[in-house]
Amino acid sequence: MRGVTVWIFTFISLILNESLAVYYYYIEHPIDLSHPIDENTIFSDSSETVRVSTLAKTKIYTQYIVYQEQCLPEHGSTHVDAPRHFNKNGWTISDIPLYLLMVEGVHIDVSAEVNNNENFILQPHHLINWERKHGSLPNPCIMLINFGWSWRYKQRVLYTNERDGIRYFPGLSKEAALWIVHTGKVVGIGVDTMSIDPGNSTSFDAHRILSHFNIYSIESINYPNAKSKYQRKFDARFEHIPTLPPRGFNLYVLPTNFIDGTGAPARVVATSNLHTCNGTPSISYMFNIVLTMCILFQKIIKTIV
Ligand SMILES: *[C@@H]1O[C@H](CO)[C@@H](O)[C@H](O)[C@H]1NC(C)=O
């Protein structure tokens, strides 16, 4: 009878653990969410490029040594927009505290709704729907929006999508920006387009609202796994590509520390949240320890029950 109790207990634990595992997603390897910087790098000012030169060295060294010079504008590739970009009293790149750049992330994938529509505008109901499905936003968090636009980056014309000097790509509505501010939980917003505002915006509402509250943005995020679940299931080539889950990961956003910079290229990496950014074990991690102990020490429990 006691043995049965132990097995029932273990069974319930396993079910609980499974449901927690679904809620608290787990990524095995770090995922690089940034584009590389090379001759194809896209800048806010389309006329800009990366200029790389190998400096002529006059000194003769006895061993191999090489220096290069890389010149590039602040706002290009995957980069952080400091609040100062749109708010003269806002934080510059060097003002953003490090602890707000290492925060739990959420991934709001609206790529199916966007369906390559260049006029798509993110509304509060998209964010509310995400919360209904995946639970309320962690506090604090960095919110990554996936418009399904990052695959275009390799083809500049498709990415900037410019006609008669006007760009067309999805972005945040003024209402969505206000909704985000009102949660009081979001420290940064990432998008896979060149701007958090819609491509043809001239009022830059999202930029102005978020930077007023010192919320930084990350533009031109790269989702390397931007393949649909369907493709991943039926095309073995995509099987090994890690998926960024809706939640349950930490983000490390590391812009180059330009003093008084209004923006800076950034390496953005998602990692497992087995340990949260502030060093305390996450709930699923603690639960797994308890479960493992229960299974290992079944015999001991048996004598107690
Ligand atoms: C952007 O383009 C869309 C579709 O062409 C249009 O409805 C909208 O008014 C434009 N917005 C601005 C600010 O020009």
Side-chain angles (χ1 to χ4, degrees), residues 67-240:
Y67 298 87
Q68 296 185 133
E69 198 175 67
Q70 308 243 10
C71 297
L72 66 162
E74 289 173 333
H75 297 264
S77 187
T78 305
H79 68 282
V80 169
D81 266 13
R84 178 67 61 90
H85 190 34
F86 273 81
N87 168 7
K88 69 177 189 301
N89 300 314
W91 284 335
T92 63
I93 284 291
S94 47
D95 291 336
I96 304 173
L98 199 52
Y99 71 88
L100 295 182
L101 295 164
M102 300 165 135
V103 172
E104 195 171 340
V106 295
H107 173 210
I108 300 184
D109 185 353
V110 288
S111 55
E113 283 111 308
V114 176
N115 193 23
N116 281 313
N117 172 9
E118 60 183 24
N119 295 318
F120 178 90
I121 296 180
L122 187 90
Q123 302 294 348
H125 72 84
H126 295 112
L127 305 171
I128 294 164
N129 281 350
W130 186 92
E131 277 203 320
R132 254 189 224 133
K133 210 164 155 195
H134 300 290
S136 57
L137 294 173
N139 188 15
C141 72
I142 298 169
M143 183 187 275
L144 299 182
I145 314 283
N146 187 344
F147 290 119
W149 210 256
S150 69
W151 66 270
R152 295 167 174 249
Y153 188 89
K154 287 196 180 73
Q155 284 157 282
R156 181 180 293 264
V157 176
L158 292 180
Y159 193 70
T160 59
N161 202 30
E162 199 167 316
R163 293 193 297 276
D164 300 326
I166 298 170
R167 291 172 180 159
Y168 296 89
F169 51 75
L172 272 68
S173 65
K174 184 179 176 176
E175 292 73 24
L178 287 169
W179 187 92
I180 288 164
V181 167
H182 283 140
T183 64
K185 295 175 177 176
V186 180
V187 299
I189 301 276
V191 291
D192 55 346
T193 55
M194 299 175 73
S195 171
I196 54 170
D197 282 292
N200 67 346
S201 168
T202 48
S203 51
F204 303 106
D205 295 321
H207 268 104
R208 283 187 305 101
I209 291 164
L210 296 170
S211 60
H212 182 77
F213 292 92
N214 269 335
I215 296 170
Y216 61 85
S217 43
I218 316 159
E219 290 163 347
S220 294
I221 290 270
N222 181 23
Y223 297 106
N225 51 326
K227 294 287 171 198
S228 72
K229 271 193 187 138
Y230 181 85
Q231 265 173 310
R232 293 169 61 81
K233 196 166 178 186
F234 294 101
D235 190 335
R237 282 176 304 165
F238 299 122
E239 243 167 35
H240 69 283

